[in-house]
Amino acid sequence: MDNFQIETAQNISIRQNVAGIGDRILAFIVDSFILGVYLIFSSFVIAGTGLDSAGEFVYYLILGVPLLLYYLLWESLWNGQTPGKKILELRVVKIDGSRPEFSKFVVRWLLRLIEICIISVAIVVVSILLNGKGQGLGETAADTNVISEKKKIGFIKIREWTCPDI
């Protein structure tokens, strides 16, 4: 897992771990599952209430707007996380480690639509892997990155203490 270093105004270095591509894909799958459950549930509700006969506009408004705004609203209102990112302990931050402004989330959201719909998910994955900073097109443009907040657990070597000869 790569990391990047942030230098604070007090000359203190903070290391942030860049989220791995596997964790990012799993977070995307979790979010896609949530969106799929929402689609199925709301379709049944719309069919049960008879709103589907009210016209296509109402149908697409109820189904489409939440799907379209899912990432933008969750990330901007929930401190840089969607439910998938929360479960996998990922967060969107600015390159300096601070919380991104709403405009940064909008840039990420707009470019995500282009990346996923037009370019292709495979090209996005390759660009994240080859970038060197773990950033996709949207993150590069918004000057943000997705970090992992998982605690690293490791073993420390304890020196063996021996009693000196008396």
Side-chain angles (χ1 to χ4, degrees):
M1 184 181 312
D2 294 332
N3 56 40
F4 62 96
Q5 197 161 324
I6 301 163
E7 199 69 33
T8 66
Q10 292 79 23
N11 292 327
I12 297 172
S13 296
I14 300 171
R15 294 174 86 164
Q16 295 281 356
N17 295 324
V18 175
I21 194 73
D23 286 340
R24 292 170 70 136
I25 290 172
L26 285 174
F28 179 77
I29 290 170
V30 169
D31 290 328
S32 297
F33 177 76
I34 291 169
L35 289 170
V37 168
Y38 169 77
L39 264 176
I40 293 168
F41 178 74
S42 15
S43 294
F44 282 128
V45 169
I46 289 171
T49 58
L51 285 176
D52 55 344
S53 62
E56 287 183 29
F57 177 74
V58 173
Y59 185 75
Y60 289 120
L61 185 69
I62 292 172
L63 291 180
V65 171
L67 294 178
L68 185 65
L69 298 177
Y70 178 83
Y71 287 97
L72 176 63
L73 293 177
W74 275 109
E75 287 180 351
S76 62
L77 298 175
W78 213 25
N79 199 19
Q81 294 179 309
T82 61
K85 285 183 178 82
K86 180 74 172 173
I87 290 169
L88 289 158
E89 299 179 46
L90 306 177
R91 179 181 311 281
V92 176
V93 296
K94 286 175 36 177
I95 292 299
D96 66 1
S98 63
R99 187 181 192 285
E101 299 87 21
F102 183 72
S103 61
K104 302 286 186 184
F105 289 117
V106 171
V107 170
R108 283 175 48 82
W109 173 71
L110 288 172
L111 289 173
R112 177 184 286 120
L113 294 175
I114 294 169
E115 286 177 337
I116 292 175
C117 297
I118 297 173
I119 297 176
S120 169
V121 175
I123 294 173
V124 174
V125 169
V126 169
S127 73
I128 290 171
L129 290 172
L130 296 179
N131 183 316
K133 296 179 183 176
Q135 295 174 300
L137 179 63
E139 285 135 3
T140 304
D143 202 25
T144 60
N145 209 340
V146 178
I147 62 165
S148 175
E149 295 182 323
K150 293 178 183 173
K151 305 288 185 235
K152 283 190 172 182
I153 299 173
F155 294 102
I156 58 171
K157 184 176 180 182
I158 300 174
R159 269 184 59 189
E160 185 177 316
W161 184 78
T162 58
C163 183
D165 294 333
I166 300 182

